[in-house]
Structure formats: C-alpha cells, structure tokens
Amino acid sequence: MTAQPAPVADWVTIPDLVRDPFPIYERLRAEGGVHWVPAVGRTLITSYAAVHETELDQETFSANEEGSLQIRAMGHSMLRRDDPEHYIERKAWQPALRPGEVKRTWTRVFERNAARALEALAERGPGADLIWDFAAPYAAENLRELIGFHNADQSDLQRWSQTMIDATGNYADDPEVWALGKASFDEVDAALDEMLAWHAAHLDDNPTLIAQLLRAPERTMPLERIRANLKMTIGGGLNEPRDALGVAAWALLQHPEQRAAVAADAELWPAVFEEAIRWVAPIGLYSRQVTRDTELAGVALPAGAKLGICVLSANRDETVWAAPERFDIHREVRPHLAFGKGTHVCLGAWVAKAEVAAVGLPRLFSRFEGLALSETDPAVIAGWVFRGMTRLPVTWERARPAADGNPSARATATAPRITIVGSGPSGSFTAQAVRKAIPDARIDVVEAQPVPYGLVRYGVAADHQGTKSVSRQFDRLYAEPGVRFIGNTRLGVDVSLDELRAASDAVVLATGVRGDAPLRIPGGDLAGVHGAGAITRTLNGHPDAPAPPALGARVAIVGHGNVAMDVARLLTRRDFTGSDLDDAVHADLAGAVRTVHLIGRSAPELAKFDPVMVRELAGLPGVRHVVHGVDLDAVPEGKDARLDAVRELTAADPGERGSDGEPGTPVIEWWFGARPVEISGERGVRAIRIAQAGADRELAVTAVVTAVGFVDEGAEASGSTAMPTSAGAHPDGRVEPGLYTAGWLRRGPRGTIPEQREDARQLARMIRDDLAARDGDAPSAAGIVPPVHAVDFAGWRRIDLRERLGAAPGRVRAKLASRDAQLAAARDASLVPPPAPGRAAGARHEGAITILFATESGGAELAAEELRRHLDGGDVRLLDVADAAPEELDPQRLHLVLCSSYGDGELPTAARGFHAELRAARGGLAGLRYAVFGLGDRSYAKTYSRGSELLDEALTACGAQRIGEYGRHDAGGGTDAAEAAVDWLEGVLAELADAAPVAAGLR
C-alpha cells in the first residue's frame, strides 16, 4: 500500500488544545494518528505506536530541529541534540541524578524540604492552593539545592522555570511570552556565572549538579552548553514533579476508594505516581524533525517535516490501555511514555519518583486529616504542550503535628499465627511475604513430603541448579525464630483443615497443581504416552515417581513451552556435570534416545518458550537441529527474540555428525504450526500423525511426552483428602477471611517461580488487612501440635547433608529417592550440618567480582549498587558498560552483567559500542565467567529483556561461559528490581558454592 500525504486537521485550534486536548487527540488517533495541523504549523503524532517509533529512531526523527522553540527559549541543550553529541552531554549530567545518588543524598533533602513546605501549607490554613502553596515551592526548593543555586531562592526558580517553559511552548508566537522568557534566560546566566566560581572553590563533599560538572575529569562541554542544559534542567526539573504531584493529588481526592487503598498499603504510592503521569503527562508534546523521506503509520513524511510528538495523546491510546481516560492505580501496568523512551529517556526520572512518590505524596496525605477538594473554589487544569493543575484549592479538618505526619506501617495488636500448607515456591514465598508484611507473625509451613520446596526440588529440571538455588533463601527463612517447617504431615490424614483453622488465625493452601494435562486425541491414552511432569519428577528422584520408562530411540514431545524445552534438553544432553541427576535413572529413561520431535501448534513468534531456553538447546554439543514450518527471512533479525533463537538452531554446529541413529548424534526435529492428530500403535506407541500447512504427516516414534500444561488432579494427588477448593476457583486468593489460596492453586497452572513472589506479596497484604479488620483484639491462635513422625527444619538439614555427602563425582547431591531413606536421614543424630546462615547475612564470594551495568534510565545501575552493598565487602568493582572494553575484562574475576532493554528490544545507548566490540572480536574471552540479569518490560512480548540477551550472545560467542540462572525483572510487575537482583545473586553464588566441591572432585 502506497503511503498517503498527511491528512489535514484544520479544525484544531490552540485555545481548544489548551483547554482540553483529549477529545481532539481521541479523534486524531481514530483517524490514523498522523495529521498536519495548520494551527500549530507541524504534523502532530498522536498514536502510541507512531510516537513509540519516533522515539526509537533518532536517525530519521531528529531532536535537532531547525528553528526549535526550545533552542530559542533555553539554548541548544542535549534535548535538542542527537547522538553522539547528545550522549556526551548526557553522560556529564548523570552523576548527580543517578538513582544511587538520589537514594543516598537527595531523598533526605526532599524529606527536609517537604516538612518545611507542609508546615507552611498548614499555616496558610484550609482554602490554600495545593499547587502554589505546596507543590511548586517544594519542587523549586528541591531543584535549587540539587543544582546548587545558592544565590537564588525557590521563587526565582519558579519564575525562571515557568517563563522559559511558556516560551518553549509559544506556538502562538506571543511577543510578551518571548520577552519574559528572555529576561529569565539572562538572569540564569548571571546567577550561574557567580555560582561556577563559588562551587569551584568548594568542591569537597559537594553533591550538587554544578559541582559534579566542575569535578568531571574531562571538561569538554563549552560554557554555552552548560548554560543551555541548566536552563533545560530548571524547566523540566521543576514543572514535571510539580505537575505530577498536583495531578496525582487531584486524582486521589476525586477517587476515595483508591485513596483508601493507598492509605492501607503504602507500597501503592509508586503506582499512584506512574498512573498519574500516564493519565496526564506533564510534558505533553515535544518536537522532532524528519531527516529523510519516510513513512509513519501509513503517512508519507518528507525530509524536513516538523513533528509534534504528542505524549499526552499516546498515553491515552485505546489500543494500549482499557478505558485510558480513567485514573486507575490498579490497572494492568503497560509502559507509558511520560519519561520518554530510547536515547532521550528522562534523566531526572529517579529524582521525580523520589520527591513525588517516596516523599511528597505520602507526607501530604498523612499530614492532613480530611484533606478534600474545595467545594466553592474548583480546581483548574490546562495546557497541551505542558499540562498540569493551575489551581488546586483544598480544605482539611485537621493538620496533624509534624511528628505524626510520617507514614507508618500498621501493626496488629497481637502476634497472629499463620499456617501455610505446602512448602513449594508459592508457599515459601508467601511465608517470606507474610514475614515482611506482619513482622511479628508466627508462621507454620506444613508439608506432605519429609523434604521442603516442592516444585523447586522435584519440578525444576535437574540441570538447572541456578533455578533450584532459590531454596537457599528459603533455608534462611526457615531458620528464623517464629517460623516452623512441619514436614511429613499430610492434610486430611495427619491433621484436618478444621484443626488447622482452629489453631491458626489464617490458613493458606499452597499445595500446587501437578497433574499432566492429557492430550485429547485418539491414542492419547496408549502405553508409551507420558506426561512431562511425570518424566521430570522421575529424573528429579521424587519418592512417589514410578520406575523410569524406557522411551526408546524416537520420542515426540508435544508442546513448545519451557517444560517441553526442558524435556528435550534432558533427553539429548549427555554431560550433566554440576547437576543432581542420577545417571542410572537417566540411562534407563533416555539412554536409547536418538531423535526428538518437538511439535508445537504456533509459529515461533507466538510460541510459549523462553528464547534463552531455545538458545541453550542450540548450544548443546553434538546435537543437530532441523526446523520445519518457519520462514526465517520473513522477519528481520533482531525484531523478534523467539525467531532469533530459532535462527541459532539452524546455525548451530553440532560437531561430529553421523546419520540419524548413530550413537552420540541426537537430532531434534522442530515442527512449528503443527497440530497432533492421532497417536497410533497396538501395545504401545508406534507413530504420531501431525497436521501442518494443510497436510498430514506421520512420524515414527517409540514414545510420546505431553507438555501441554497441568491440571488439578484433586485432593488425593496433592496429598490431601480435605481440599475445600479447586485450582483457579479463587483467583484473588481469598476463599473467605481466614482461608486463602496461593500459587497455582490460586490462579491455575500458570506463572513462573519469580512471578510467585509478587503474588505472595499481594496475598500477604490481603491477610494483613483481613487480620487488622477483625473485631476486637482477638488473642493469637496457638498453632498445631506436629505429629510425632513430623520432620522439622533440623531434620531437613540432616537430609540435605546426607544427600550432599553422597554426591557422585560431578554431581552436587545424590537425592534420597524413598521416603524411608529420607526419614532415616532426618533422625540420624550423627549428621551435624553447619550453622544455617541468618536472614541478615550478606552474600559472599571468595573471588573478585565486577558488576557491569548497562542502563539509560538508571534501573540497572540502582540494582547493581544494591548488589555491591549486599556482597558484604571483598573485592567488588562497579563498572558502567559505557566505560568498559572487552579486552579489559579480567577472566580471574566473576562478572555480573545487569542490562536493561528499551523499546523494541534495544540495548541501552551506552552499551551499543561495547556490544559492537564484542561482535567484532568473536573470541578472546575464554575462561571468563559471567551471569546475566535482564531488566525489561514483559508487555513487549517479543523483545522482553532482549537487550541483555544480545550481550549474553555476544559474550558467549567470544568464548565466555555463562553461569547461574538467567535472571529477569519485569518493570510492569510489583517487585522491586533491586530486590529481584539480590535474589538472583544469591542463586548464582549458591550454584558456584555447590559447584566448587564438584570441580575439586573432578581434578
């Protein structure tokens, strides 16, 4: 289809945009999202997809616009430059605004300034304006101190900011606006000249932005650029937090139910902030200029065309958010564009989050009892280039004393007893989360097996010890006072649910879902058809697993999810060093396997597998891959992580190859877009017929493994005869107050182990609130009396020690595969484990560590700094990838790589040079060990964490070895990135600790 000229929206007027741009934007989006608007003299880009595309392509959509209003109003700042000039200036600006510096230095400043500003607001009395009597002076004073303008006061900052911002948005070309802006322009220059000299003489212990610029080792930025960037900082650094705070307060005061939710759970304040700037983006529009003839959303744009990038509109796009016009802190998180994307992502994002979400909003709402909008003096909001509250009069019933104004966690009057049934990841994460939400709670975890950790021990693949190492943090939990592990105790056999409820203030059922979903086709019930879960439990040494079946030479695996990838790898891999797999069991099960058919209904880009899992299969030595039903040329490389992973399969070099069936040369045949139709055979499986591309094909196989999901097999399968609910029946987690479900029993069989952590946090808050709402101060329940045959945590540690002591060469443990053997070890007093590490213990590693981080917005850096603190001393270096070179990486040091992904799977700008050097080197890093933690946004389904994967692939291609679990953090989830990174780090170090005696035994 040929691109069309931009349609003309001559019905749009600037006064209408100032008053309320949203109806205009809604119409523009509905009519395509790209329009020439004569009233503003440029093409407005209003759809989310089109705005997003411009932000990720600075070569086509340049920030360096000719005749830019911002350049006229403030000078030529980094916001109006493209890389590499933009990056040089951005890097000079970063130190004072880094997330770690905000956390260590500026948050305390914000707290002090908030106290002063709130005191002044209280003195003004009811009827005061929340914008001009609090938000504006608070944001201005914060900015004044951060920059280092000691020769000005906050009112000067307000005047400078507003007049220069007005000039930047002066599309009506009002001469008075230009005159006021020019006066502020000159005042800032004069104040800066004085402060440059002062700060140059006072650099010690000076964290201000001006001092950071003077302290930089390479002062290559000319004075006129320093001036321009400081003016840009004054503009955005005041107006944005002021308007975000004002809009958020206005929204909460109109939505009492959401206000009540935040009052009950202070962890929701970040969600308030993010939703407020999505709902009404403080910076509503910025400019770009087209550098070459191009096409955007089907519209032809000539070189030189000037664009208005309408963030206000993109953040209300109906194709991205349901009911985008509503303010809703509980909505599904999607990546808004208020802070920008790509190279120009907002440098001050962490400052704004700290001063608004962490300090300003919580202290405002806790200080004033009965805070409400004025009924006689209505609030006013206006603007389109910049939009925010221009009036926000409020009243209140009482201003609490300042000492009482700080938010505090609500505590229950008594220490409640919480019983959790099931010690798998959902049960153990719930115990962790309850411990944090209700610190004085006493927690019992009841487990049917003599050993804890459920899916971690018996469901995670035996060769993925990094994933299993989450059990180390659970070990610390169960070693704490007030937490009891009660193993070998079955619900409905050893204790009834009624007895548990009578002995507990709350009971959480976290027994999981373990039944393999049946393959509902003819022959699906033949002998020789096995569930993937049953296969995994057999290889993991589950006491209740049957003897391993012999799968034969040719196996079909139905499904393309991660479980299917696990099974395919376990059947074709031959070296299991560092795992806990029993070689004899594996030989009986898979010793004859030579061909594996992986059959999936979807195309690769829609498959459920993690690309990392596919690349792991591509890297298996001695395995050949054949891919059917995929046109790898249809999508360019780098645009879909799953397709890129499949490309690696076809490029993989299996080493020595023989014909199908030769010993040591397994083949994996990948069938995409293929539907299983029938399994045939008489006494067992003979073949499976699949339908692909309109034709049927019969594959000769000796066994079929189904990996199409899990089902709730009912109470008996879970070890319980008294389960009062089924999987997914109560997705919010509450059966009734006092009885809850967690994990797969709560939501049904979906979600990964890391995702269980966030579910556990939500559930713990619900339990806390339900307990707080009880009538009176009921005494805490006493808890159950464990049966005489129960296994406590000390018993589990003896089992653990026995298994580790019995490990064969190259293995981390030899699992006790019978209940009797486990119970005997639990009671063996001769087994004396070392002391369990305390909860507060930092992670330790005997060798040197370098933490490499790659980021634009600062998230990866903040997580990296948290890792350095958690490592508890030792030789630990923090290194920005922008300052790293591949040849300088020391193979004697362990490297922890933390990398954010942006937009369509893009690396941070600062990491692209390093990545290009790695790709060019293609070697030279043999012996270097590294672990990867990717930060991304899961809503970008095709490229989530792709940036970190690109670094991972390049490091591997250079001969480096990745160790540990591939860590990930979803920006759209509720778990803090630094917290998730610490959990990942502990897993990596635990795997290294487990591998050390294995390596020693092999030498």
Side-chain angles (χ1 to χ4, degrees):
M1 181 177 176
T2 305
Q4 301 298 311
V8 179
D10 54 7
W11 48 273
V12 177
T13 70
I14 289 180
D16 286 341
L17 285 167
V18 171
R19 184 169 48 255
D20 185 2
F22 294 114
I24 296 170
Y25 288 153
E26 183 177 2
R27 176 177 169 183
L28 292 177
R29 289 193 304 271
E31 294 177 359
V34 179
H35 295 76
W36 169 254
V37 181
V40 297
R42 63 185 55 231
T43 301
L44 294 190
I45 313 302
T46 52
S47 72
Y48 183 97
V51 167
H52 190 265
E53 184 173 343
T54 65
E55 291 192 315
L56 296 178
D57 185 0
Q58 64 174 331
E59 293 182 1
T60 304
F61 305 101
S62 173
N64 194 7
E65 182 190 56
E66 298 174 3
S68 163
L69 296 186
Q70 186 182 84
I71 293 176
R72 178 178 175 182
M74 298 180 178
H76 201 162
S77 74
M78 69 181 83
L79 280 183
R80 297 276 72 84
R81 297 186 188 275
D82 300 316
D83 288 335
E85 285 185 313
H86 159 264
Y87 177 69
I88 293 170
E89 297 183 15
R90 181 184 179 93
K91 187 175 180 182
W93 234 248
Q94 279 181 331
L97 307 177
R98 289 187 184 277
E101 188 66 20
V102 171
K103 188 173 182 179
R104 289 188 299 271
T105 302
W106 297 117
T107 299
R108 292 194 299 272
V109 174
F110 302 157
E111 290 169 346
R112 184 192 68 222
N113 291 340
R116 293 172 178 171
L118 289 169
E119 190 63 30
L121 179 65
E123 291 174 1
R124 291 278 305 200
D129 191 303
L130 204 55
I131 298 301
W132 307 114
D133 294 326
F134 171 58
Y138 167 60
E141 181 60 19
N142 289 340
L143 185 63
R144 186 190 72 80
E145 295 194 44
L146 191 152
I147 293 176
F149 270 125
H150 303 325
N151 57 347
D153 64 28
Q154 59 86 12
S155 63
D156 294 322
L157 270 289
Q158 285 197 61
R159 183 179 70 259
W160 297 342
S161 177
Q162 193 60 55
T163 52
M164 290 191 294
I165 283 289
D166 289 345
T168 297
N170 189 19
Y171 288 92
D173 202 24
D174 185 330
E176 183 178 356
V177 171
W178 286 123
L180 292 171
K182 181 61 169 63
S184 290
F185 186 105
D186 294 338
E187 285 183 44
V188 172
D189 282 349
L192 176 61
D193 288 343
E194 182 180 352
M195 281 294 98
L196 284 172
W198 187 92
H199 283 286
H202 299 83
L203 285 179
D204 293 342
D205 298 322
N206 185 341
T208 64
L209 179 56
I210 294 176
Q212 294 281 13
L213 291 172
L214 294 173
R215 196 181 290 119
E218 298 173 338
R219 289 189 55 199
T220 57
M221 191 184 301
L223 180 59
E224 65 270 16
R225 295 197 180 186
I226 293 176
R227 295 185 193 279
N229 283 304
L230 278 174
K231 289 164 189 163
M232 175 270 296
T233 303
I234 291 170
L238 195 158
N239 280 29
E240 289 182 66
R242 179 198 69 195
D243 293 342
L245 200 158
V247 166
W250 182 52
L252 285 180
L253 292 173
Q254 295 179 90
H255 296 84
E257 74 292 346
Q258 296 185 55
R259 179 179 174 183
V262 178
D265 184 1
E267 292 186 11
L268 289 174
W269 282 116
V272 172
F273 173 77
E274 298 291 346
E275 174 65 356
I277 63 175
R278 180 211 64 84
W279 190 50
V280 180
I283 296 181
L285 175 144
Y286 56 84
S287 62
R288 290 289 185 266
Q289 187 165 22
V290 179
T291 61
R292 57 180 177 81
D293 292 349
T294 190
E295 177 183 333
L296 183 64
V299 173
L301 297 174
K306 293 187 176 183
L307 310 181
I309 309 301
C310 301
V311 177
L312 265 176
S313 175
N315 279 353
R316 296 267 187 116
D317 195 318
E318 304 84 352
T319 66
V320 179
W321 292 277
E325 74 285 352
R326 290 194 298 109
F327 176 84
D328 182 3
I329 63 174
H330 302 298
R331 73 167 61 249
E332 180 185 359
V333 177
R334 305 300 301 275
H336 63 70
L337 302 176
F339 285 133
K341 294 286 182 183
T343 60
H344 285 279
V345 67
C346 180
L347 258 176
W350 289 95
V351 173
K353 291 175 183 179
E355 62 181 319
V356 177
V359 179
L361 283 171
R363 280 159 175 72
L364 168 67
F365 277 86
S366 63
R367 181 74 188 275
F368 294 96
E369 187 176 322
L371 188 67
L373 296 172
S374 171
E375 295 181 358
T376 59
D377 192 0
V380 178
I381 186 170
W384 69 291
V385 178
F386 303 92
R387 188 166 180 83
M389 310 303 302
T390 59
R391 287 183 55 77
L392 189 55
V394 294
T395 62
W396 56 83
E397 298 169 2
R398 183 175 77 94
R400 298 185 180 96
D404 296 336
N406 291 334
S408 59
R410 196 170 34 164
T412 54
T414 57
R417 172 77 66 177
I418 313 296
T419 299
I420 300 167
V421 182
S423 66
S426 63
S428 294
F429 278 134
T430 299
Q432 277 188 336
V434 168
R435 194 73 166 158
K436 292 179 180 179
I438 316 171
D440 58 347
R442 291 173 292 175
I443 302 168
D444 290 341
V445 180
V446 176
E447 168 60 52
Q449 296 293 328
V451 296
Y453 310 142
L455 178 67
V456 172
R457 180 176 169 92
Y458 292 126
V460 173
D463 61 340
H464 274 192
Q465 292 298 307
T467 306
K468 290 177 180 287
S469 60
V470 70
S471 62
R472 288 293 189 94
Q473 60 178 281
F474 296 155
D475 277 350
R476 288 197 296 277
L477 168 72
Y478 290 117
E480 288 187 24
V483 180
R484 292 195 297 175
F485 171 71
I486 306 174
N488 199 37
T489 302
R490 291 176 294 173
L491 182 63
V493 176
D494 301 304
V495 62
S496 70
L497 181 60
D498 287 343
E499 289 172 325
L500 282 185
R501 297 197 67 181
S504 312
D505 295 289
V507 173
V508 180
L509 303 175
T511 52
V513 175
R514 55 171 275 180
D516 286 294
L519 190 60
R520 300 189 184 282
I521 61 173
D525 56 354
L526 281 173
V529 177
H530 311 278
I535 294 292
T536 304
R537 286 192 295 276
T538 294
L539 289 173
N540 269 315
H542 194 291
D544 300 333
L551 297 180
R554 299 176 301 279
V555 180
I557 302 172
V558 179
H560 274 177
N562 285 343
V563 173
M565 302 300 109
D566 277 337
V567 175
R569 188 184 65 255
L570 291 169
L571 295 186
T572 55
R573 183 173 180 173
R574 293 297 178 257
D575 181 5
F576 289 95
T577 300
S579 76
D580 59 9
L581 189 116
D582 186 311
D583 285 324
V585 172
H586 183 265
D588 289 345
L589 179 83
V593 173
R594 294 295 173 266
T595 301
V596 172
H597 296 281
L598 266 171
I599 301 165
R601 294 173 178 264
S602 302
E605 55 268 38
L606 299 177
K608 299 299 184 183
F609 56 65
D610 184 328
V612 172
M613 301 281 278
V614 177
R615 290 204 302 274
E616 188 176 0
L617 279 166
L620 284 181
V623 177
R624 183 163 61 92
H625 298 271
V626 180
V627 178
H628 306 274
V630 181
D631 180 4
L632 292 174
D633 296 326
V635 178
E637 188 174 354
K639 294 300 182 182
D640 190 296
R642 291 178 175 83
L643 269 175
D644 288 347
V646 173
R647 282 190 180 92
E648 289 195 30
L649 294 171
T650 61
D653 180 8
E656 285 191 23
R657 296 178 184 171
S659 60
D660 181 10
E662 276 189 34
T665 60
V667 178
I668 300 180
E669 304 250 6
W670 297 73
W671 300 89
F672 290 98
R675 175 175 55 86
V677 176
E678 180 184 17
I679 301 172
S680 57
E682 296 180 1
R683 299 177 183 174
V685 171
R686 180 185 60 81
I688 183 169
R689 183 159 53 91
I690 61 174
Q692 185 189 49
D696 283 7
R697 176 167 185 158
E698 188 172 271
L699 306 175
V701 295
T702 52
V704 174
V705 178
T706 63
V708 293
F710 296 89
V711 294
D712 186 358
E713 290 184 331
E716 185 175 350
S718 67
S720 162
T721 59
M723 192 61 61
T725 187
S726 58
H730 302 278
D732 66 345
R734 183 193 286 117
V735 180
E736 59 185 62
L739 182 62
Y740 308 88
T741 56
W744 284 9
L745 191 62
R746 171 184 173 182
R747 296 190 181 275
R750 65 180 185 274
T752 63
I753 288 176
E755 288 168 355
Q756 302 297 332
R757 182 186 289 107
E758 176 55 26
D759 272 6
R761 289 158 61 100
Q762 296 172 7
L763 182 62
R765 292 195 290 265
M766 178 188 295
I767 294 170
R768 179 197 62 195
D769 294 345
D770 284 354
L771 292 174
R774 294 187 305 187
D775 293 335
D777 293 332
S780 175
I784 67 166
V785 176
V788 294
H789 55 263
V791 174
D792 60 11
F793 184 65
W796 151 243
R797 298 202 68 224
R798 286 190 284 271
I799 296 171
D800 180 50
L801 179 60
R802 169 66 74 196
E803 292 183 338
R804 292 181 182 278
L805 291 174
R811 298 293 183 267
V812 297
R813 69 170 66 234
K815 283 181 178 171
L816 301 177
S818 74
R819 187 181 294 263
D820 287 344
Q822 291 173 350
L823 292 175
R827 299 176 185 129
D828 187 347
S830 69
L831 293 168
V832 183
R839 185 173 182 80
R844 289 188 176 275
H845 177 61
E846 295 301 323
I849 295 177
T850 295
I851 305 174
L852 281 165
F853 65 88
T855 185
E856 285 178 4
S857 62
E861 180 183 0
L862 191 64
E865 291 186 340
E866 184 62 31
L867 294 189
R868 179 168 60 179
R869 284 191 291 273
H870 192 72
L871 280 164
D872 196 24
D875 184 0
V876 180
R877 299 176 189 169
L878 205 63
L879 180 62
D880 191 332
V881 166
D883 302 320
E887 65 273 14
E888 296 173 357
L889 301 182
D890 183 355
Q892 300 303 313
R893 305 178 68 88
L894 171 66
H895 288 74
L896 306 176
V897 181
L898 286 75
C899 180
S900 296
S901 297
Y902 295 92
D904 194 18
E906 299 290 330
L907 276 164
T909 304
R912 293 174 190 173
F914 178 76
H915 178 250
E917 291 178 30
L918 284 174
R919 286 177 60 87
R922 305 296 293 182
L925 295 182
L928 185 139
R929 297 178 305 162
Y930 70 97
V932 180
F933 185 82
L935 296 88
D937 195 310
R938 192 177 290 278
S939 60
Y940 291 94
K942 293 184 177 181
T943 52
Y944 168 53
S945 80
R946 183 61 178 141
S948 62
E949 292 169 17
L950 290 170
L951 284 184
D952 175 39
E953 294 164 18
L955 286 165
T956 300
C958 287
Q961 177 190 3
R962 176 162 58 83
I963 60 172
E965 179 186 10
Y966 199 115
R968 286 190 177 88
H969 176 260
D970 177 16
T975 303
D976 178 71
E979 179 183 345
V982 167
D983 288 345
W984 162 79
L985 170 65
E986 291 182 345
V988 170
L989 297 186
E991 183 172 353
L992 284 172
D994 287 344
V998 172
L1002 292 176
R1003 286 198 290 268

